[in-house]
Amino acid sequence: MTAPAMTDSAPDETPVTDDGGRGSARRFGVLALAAAVVVGLLLGYAGGLLTPTLTRPGDTSAEAGFARDMTTHHAQAVEMGLMAFQQGEDPEVRQIGGDIATGQQGEIGTMQTWLRSWGLDPTGDQPPMAWMPDGAGAVKNGLMPGMATPGEMDKLRAARGHEFDVLFLQMMIRHHLGGIHMIQGILDQGHDDDVLKVAQTMKNTQQTDLTNLQNALKRLGG
């Protein structure tokens, strides 16, 4: 992932803001991250097109359920990551948020391409987590493991400064723990080699993210 893009303006042409010019730079950085998210999505689609088509998972397969549910799970992480990049006060929090947003958007592209290549709809008839043996019990108030409630998302949107940083880290740690639980589910239940390979990469990435999130939270006194 890349750091927020710098502008080409000379120092004496940069608008002065209350935060020493960082507001203007942050706006350009948000545009750069948005572009990176789109690129990640396109790369994810390209990667998904490489999925073998000789043996395609069916509509009720663990692979299809995982792709659908993890797309929803990832979508919330992307939203939270974008908020962290835009609203975070701590530089590491902004970097972590940007990395999560771009990385998981690319994985969404991969999973949606799987479904299309298998001839399946983006959404199915089964309830969330039905593909996992313990899935029904893991769903709380309609939310998959680790997902934030609408009220929690509203609180994160309204937070600023140090409060935002700590809240984001706490919520994303919980979100990643839930995501790893789901990824382990497909690693245990799945049979498609390409899906298993990508899922293992997802797990490795999220475990690394967790270490960084937990270290940042400890540093910020959360």
Side-chain angles (χ1 to χ4, degrees), residues 101-123:
T102 53
Q104 295 208 7
Q105 189 66 53
E107 291 170 356
I108 287 173
T110 296
M111 293 185 289
Q112 290 299 298
T113 303
W114 286 343
L115 291 169
R116 284 198 301 275
S117 71
W118 300 335
L120 304 178
D121 292 333
T123 58

Side-chain angles (χ1 to χ4, degrees), residues 1 5 11 13 24 41 51 65 70 77 102 111 116 124 133-134 141 150 166-167 171 185 187 205 216 219-221:
M1 306 308 165
E13 296 176 349
S24 178
L41 182 61
T51 303
M70 190 55 78
T102 53
M111 293 185 289
R116 284 198 301 275
D134 62 343
N141 299 317
V166 170
L167 185 59
M171 290 173 62
L187 290 174
T205 299
R219 177 173 57 81
L220 293 176

Side-chain angles (χ1 to χ4, degrees), residues 50-59 61 63-64 114 117-120 190-195:
L50 300 177
T51 303
T53 58
L54 294 178
T55 304
R56 296 181 176 181
D59 193 54
S61 66
E63 285 84 357
W114 286 343
S117 71
W118 300 335
L120 304 178
H191 301 285
D192 184 278
D193 289 341
D194 189 62
V195 172

Side-chain angles (χ1 to χ4, degrees), residues 60-150:
T60 59
S61 66
E63 285 84 357
F66 171 77
R68 289 163 174 157
D69 286 352
M70 190 55 78
T71 290
T72 300
H73 202 273
H74 270 23
Q76 187 179 71
V78 170
E79 182 181 2
M80 292 167 63
L82 289 172
M83 279 193 279
F85 183 81
Q86 185 173 11
Q87 297 173 216
E89 178 180 71
D90 182 78
E92 185 181 10
V93 167
R94 295 198 301 270
Q95 183 66 52
I96 290 173
D99 287 348
I100 289 173
T102 53
Q104 295 208 7
Q105 189 66 53
E107 291 170 356
I108 287 173
T110 296
M111 293 185 289
Q112 290 299 298
T113 303
W114 286 343
L115 291 169
R116 284 198 301 275
S117 71
W118 300 335
L120 304 178
D121 292 333
T123 58
D125 297 330
Q126 293 187 314
M129 304 293 292
W131 55 276
M132 282 183 65
D134 62 343
V139 177
K140 306 296 182 183
N141 299 317
L143 296 173
M144 288 176 281
M147 291 189 68
T149 66

